[in-house]
Amino acid sequence: SLATYATSAIPKFKEEGQRGIDVRDATFAAMYGYLEEMMQGTAFVPKNMYEVESKLPALTWEDAPAP
């Protein structure tokens, strides 16, 4: 739901919503890349989510635009 704020008229909400979209896009790109590596046999097939988590970008606000 964070991504829905990307079109907000309030700058702070708009920036936070865009950050949500950026992280979502990076997460999907990372997962599709990892899936491709698994299919090629260059990455292991994970046994649980914890093994996948390190491959994903963290949802942090440090590199997000300043409010």
Side-chain angles (χ1 to χ4, degrees):
S1 66
L2 174 62
T4 63
Y5 285 90
T7 58
S8 177
I10 299 170
K12 177 179 175 28
F13 297 160
K14 184 174 188 158
E15 291 172 5
E16 290 175 352
Q18 185 59 53
R19 175 67 180 149
I21 291 171
D22 294 345
V23 172
R24 179 189 63 192
D25 290 351
T27 299
F28 273 89
M31 282 309 306
Y32 279 113
Y34 186 54
L35 178 61
E36 184 64 30
E37 290 175 9
M38 284 189 292
M39 293 173 67
Q40 292 176 1
T42 59
F44 66 91
V45 176
K47 295 178 184 159
N48 56 54
M49 183 57 193
Y50 299 109
E51 293 180 350
V52 175
E53 199 170 24
S54 67
K55 307 288 184 194
L56 303 177
L59 177 54
T60 61
W61 298 103
E62 289 85 30
D63 55 351

